[in-house]
């Protein structure tokens, strides 16, 4: 197993009798270091099973989290979870290419699904996932954690209340410079597994920010992509994606994302009366936010770390209480339609006109 993985010294315990048993599907770095250590912070969630293609990792992680050997599944025997009543839901933390298949199989097994973003590689896959959930009468949620993070929640509230006046411009940049790698070494650089590159991975945070800070859907998109020649990192994916979204109100959003530029993670909203600045904007921790101009001040609305438990609480409350899902499959589908429009604009060199649900016109 990869060095540095976070494993508990003692297995966490269930807090409540109505806790939802979750099967973690995929034991990569994000699952081991971000999600699984925080599941015991949620009120109604516990790890009931594990799914991995690595038997050694499955045994080591299973022992650390107190998951019984008969609740440790391989990808090949995943469908057997249908008979395991300890599992009510699955959390899919796999490369994007596998999201649709495992979501549909989980619904066929009668389980609820929390799926990492992006939802899938295409809008058609998203539609199939949504249809499978409806047939199974089970919950589908996409893991857009920033909707449960205090700084981003406060920013949404401030923009609804016009704290910077009427929005004129939104700028986001989510970028970093990747070290030496190849598509065979890192799935995020493999088009078949990840899609076009940084836009689906890091840049989706900027796309989301533009939508939830503006409170609008764009009516047109123009975009460019860059894929350097001779760089083994970018034989299959783009190094940089830039796009401009125009909204019905007249506001404009300029989005940048890259795997080959100095690190950035910010969102800025310029209005008629001031500017909201979030830098860093969407990380696991360390957020900072201020307003310049009218009503200038800094904001410290809470600990960003609660976003993970908040996301899980939202999911489990929907399962147990029937509450509405905020970040459901329709949101994931919307974002894939916009990503497809960005790539279509970059490919054709033309502005793409959009319908209100994100589909391309014509």
């Amino acid at each position: 197993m990869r060095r540095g993985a976070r494993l508990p010294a003692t297995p966490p315990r269930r807090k409540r009798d109505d806790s939802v048993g979750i099967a973690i599907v995929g034991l990569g770095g994000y699952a081991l270091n971000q999600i699984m250590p925080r599941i015991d912070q949620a009120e109604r969630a516990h790890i009931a099973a594990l799914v991995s293609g690595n038997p050694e990792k499955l045994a080591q992680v299973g022992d650390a989290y107190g998951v019984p050997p008969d609740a440790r599944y391989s990808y090949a025997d995943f469908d057997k979870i249908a008979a395991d009543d300890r599992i009510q839901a699955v959390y899919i933390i796999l490369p994007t290419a596998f999201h649709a298949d495992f979501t549909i199989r989980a619904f066929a097994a009668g389980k609820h699904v929390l799926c990492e973003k992006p939802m899938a590689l295409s809008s058609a896959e998203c539609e199939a996932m949504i249809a499978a959930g409806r047939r199974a009468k089970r919950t589908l949620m996409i893991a857009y954690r920033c909707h449960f993070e205090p700084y981003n929640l406060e920013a949404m509230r401030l923009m609804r209340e016009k704290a910077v006046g009427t929005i004129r411009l939104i700028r986001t940049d989510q970028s970093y410079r990747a070290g030496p790698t190849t598509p065979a070494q890192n799935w995020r650089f493999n088009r078949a597994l990840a899609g076009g590159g940084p836009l689906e991975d890091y840049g989706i945070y900027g796309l989301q920010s533009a939508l939830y800070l503006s409170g609008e859907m764009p009516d047109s998109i123009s975009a460019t992509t860059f894929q350097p020649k001779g760089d083994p990192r970018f034989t299959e994916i783009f190094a940089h994606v830039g796009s401009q979204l125009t909204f019905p109100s007249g506001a404009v959003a300029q989005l940048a994302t890259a795997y080959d530029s100095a690190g950035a993670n910010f969102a800025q909203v310029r209005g008629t009366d001031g500017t909201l600045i979030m830098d860093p904007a969407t990380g696991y921790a360390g957020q900072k936010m201020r307003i310049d101009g009218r009503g200038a001040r800094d904001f410290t609305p809470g600990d960003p770390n609660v976003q993970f438990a908040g996301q899980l609480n939202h999911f489990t409350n929907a399962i147990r209480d029937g509450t509405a899902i905020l970040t459901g499959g329709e949101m994931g589908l919307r974002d894939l339609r916009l990503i497809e429009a960005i790539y279509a604009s970059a490919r054709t060199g033309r502005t793409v006109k959009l319908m209100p649900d994100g589909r391309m016109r014509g």
Side-chain angles (χ1 to χ4, degrees):
M1 192 166 67
R2 183 181 303 174
R3 294 179 63 184
R6 294 172 57 189
L7 295 177
T10 57
R13 296 182 178 181
R14 293 175 56 171
K15 292 182 179 179
R16 293 168 51 152
D17 291 339
D18 63 349
S19 178
V20 174
I22 297 176
I24 303 296
V25 185
L27 301 179
Y30 185 67
L32 291 174
N33 296 325
Q34 303 301 333
I35 299 301
M36 294 176 66
R38 294 181 168 99
I39 285 183
D40 66 344
Q41 297 173 8
E43 288 297 319
R44 299 169 97 176
H46 67 276
I47 298 172
L50 302 173
V51 184
S52 174
N54 185 323
E56 180 183 354
K57 182 185 290 186
L58 196 58
Q60 189 172 351
V61 177
D63 289 346
Y65 277 92
V67 176
D70 66 346
R72 304 172 190 176
Y73 296 87
S74 69
Y75 296 135
D77 64 9
F78 173 77
D79 299 320
K80 293 180 180 178
I81 68 170
D84 194 334
D85 293 337
R86 295 167 295 186
I87 303 169
Q88 288 82 52
V90 303
Y91 189 168
I92 297 171
I93 316 176
L94 294 169
T96 311
F98 302 112
H99 288 183
D101 180 48
F102 277 87
T103 293
I104 292 168
R105 290 166 67 186
F107 283 139
K111 311 303 181 182
H112 304 274
V113 176
L114 175 58
C115 181
E116 268 303 322
K117 68 241 172 261
M119 182 173 171
L121 287 180
S122 70
S123 60
E125 287 185 338
C126 294
E127 290 168 350
M129 294 161 73
I130 292 170
R134 288 174 177 165
R135 287 194 301 270
K137 298 181 180 179
R138 293 294 184 268
T139 297
L140 173 59
M141 178 174 166
I142 310 305
Y144 286 122
R145 57 179 172 77
C146 290
H147 286 265
F148 308 95
E149 190 281 308
Y151 283 78
N152 281 274
L153 286 170
E154 180 70 358
M156 295 177 208
R157 184 189 69 80
L158 290 167
M159 295 305 95
R160 288 194 301 268
E161 295 181 357
K162 296 187 177 297
V164 297
T166 302
I167 295 173
R168 299 302 189 204
L169 175 66
I170 298 173
R171 293 177 60 242
T172 72
D173 190 343
Q174 279 71 36
S175 300
Y176 70 92
R177 190 163 196 271
T181 193
T182 67
Q185 296 170 329
N186 188 332
W187 71 266
R188 287 182 171 84
F189 292 75
N190 183 314
R191 179 172 288 273
L193 295 178
L199 175 60
E200 289 94 325
D201 179 26
Y202 206 12
I204 200 167
Y205 293 102
L207 176 61
Q208 276 260 312
S209 295
L211 301 180
Y212 59 64
L213 293 175
S214 69
E216 296 188 85
M217 276 289 287
D219 51 23
S220 67
I221 286 177
S222 58
T224 60
T225 55
F226 175 62
Q227 188 172 10
K229 296 180 180 180
D231 191 324
R233 296 173 299 173
F234 302 112
T235 57
E236 297 187 8
I237 67 166
F238 300 113
H240 178 273
V241 181
S243 57
Q244 178 165 296
L245 286 58
T246 59
F247 296 98
S249 66
V252 172
Q254 297 172 342
L255 319 181
T257 185
Y259 279 160
D260 195 36
S261 70
N265 180 2
F266 73 79
Q268 182 185 93
V269 184
R270 297 175 65 182
T272 52
D273 299 318
T275 303
L276 173 75
I277 300 169
M278 304 177 71
D279 188 7
T282 61
Y284 304 148
Q287 276 82 329
K288 294 181 180 179
M289 186 170 73
R290 71 179 190 274
I291 283 181
D292 290 343
R294 188 186 72 180
R297 57 172 289 199
D298 293 333
F299 294 85
T300 54
D303 182 359
N305 185 62
V306 303
Q307 63 189 296
F308 298 96
Q311 175 177 268
L312 285 162
N313 286 334
H314 186 73
F315 180 54
T316 56
N317 288 344
I319 293 171
R320 292 303 191 206
D321 304 332
T323 53
I325 285 288
L326 175 64
T327 62
E330 290 75 12
M331 181 178 285
L333 170 61
R334 175 203 71 184
D335 290 355
L336 258 295
R337 286 173 173 167
L338 294 177
I339 287 170
E340 289 172 344
I342 288 170
Y343 285 138
S345 174
R347 184 174 61 252
T348 62
R350 298 178 179 177
T351 298
V352 172
K353 301 295 184 180
L354 300 173
M355 297 173 66
D357 63 2
R359 287 182 295 171
M360 291 179 276
R361 295 186 182 275

